[in-house]
Amino acid sequence: MKEFEFTCSSCGETHRGIPTFGWDYPIQVLDIPQEERGSRVDLGSDDCVIDNKWFYIRGCLEIPVHGYDDPFVWGAWVSLSENNFLEWVKLFGQETRSSFGPYFGWLAGDFRPYEQTCVNLKTRVHLRDHGIRPLLELEPTGHPLALEQRNGISPDRLKRIYEIMMHGAEAA
């Protein structure tokens, strides 16, 4: 299959490969004053606990791109119940874990290319084997992000997402 490639209308450069975008922490961390984060937020590369009562894990929200084998991926965070989070922690280092779950979660991030908020969209979290981050499946609603996950996006839409994320172009 051909490699994704486009010329950016913002910077004029040719970019190759399907990009991915993500966040280092769930959006709820921003609700904690910066001077309190050290004592209230326990942040790892794949998990986060706020105030010992809010539990988050990092996963992959995959969007098919029409005409390409590889999906576009949002690296996103979801909240889990304490019980599901503790089970996820127990399974984290295991090679095979895809038979557990799926788990219910709330999306814990917002995505600039969408005018509607994405925070708290309902998700199903599917564990994957071999250390691959969980797959995040949005509830099938009419939200633009959920529609794109179900129906895929055009290469032109992916180009637009790139321009918005990298150059701050207005959301479409």
Side-chain angles (χ1 to χ4, degrees), residues 12 21 23 25 30 42 63 74 81 93 95 97-98 118 145 148-149 154 160:
F21 296 102
W23 291 265
Y25 48 81
L30 298 176
D42 182 10
I63 310 288
W74 288 111
S81 70
E95 269 302 295
R97 58 188 182 184
S98 61
C118 300
L145 181 57
E148 287 184 349
Q149 186 176 46
S154 70
R160 186 73 182 125

Side-chain angles (χ1 to χ4, degrees), residues 20 46 57-64 69-76 80 87-88 90-103 124-137 149:
T20 62
D46 290 271
I57 65 167
R58 192 182 222 173
C60 300
L61 200 157
E62 298 182 357
I63 310 288
D69 291 335
D70 293 329
F72 164 63
V73 178
W74 288 111
L80 294 179
E87 183 170 300
W88 176 86
K90 186 174 73 175
L91 296 168
F92 182 74
Q94 293 186 17
E95 269 302 295
T96 56
R97 58 188 182 184
S98 61
S99 62
F100 294 87
Y103 305 107
R124 288 175 36 150
V125 178
H126 302 272
L127 299 186
R128 299 193 275 191
D129 296 333
H130 311 297
I132 298 172
R133 284 190 172 129
L135 176 67
L136 307 178
E137 176 189 9
Q149 186 176 46

Side-chain angles (χ1 to χ4, degrees), residues 125-167:
V125 178
H126 302 272
L127 299 186
R128 299 193 275 191
D129 296 333
H130 311 297
I132 298 172
R133 284 190 172 129
L135 176 67
L136 307 178
E137 176 189 9
L138 293 174
E139 177 183 50
T141 66
H143 188 284
L145 181 57
L147 290 171
E148 287 184 349
Q149 186 176 46
R150 281 197 317 276
N151 302 325
I153 59 175
S154 70
D156 283 342
R157 172 66 176 149
L158 181 54
K159 173 185 172 193
R160 186 73 182 125
I161 289 171
Y162 179 91
E163 291 169 345
I164 291 168
M165 294 301 294
M166 295 303 296
H167 302 293

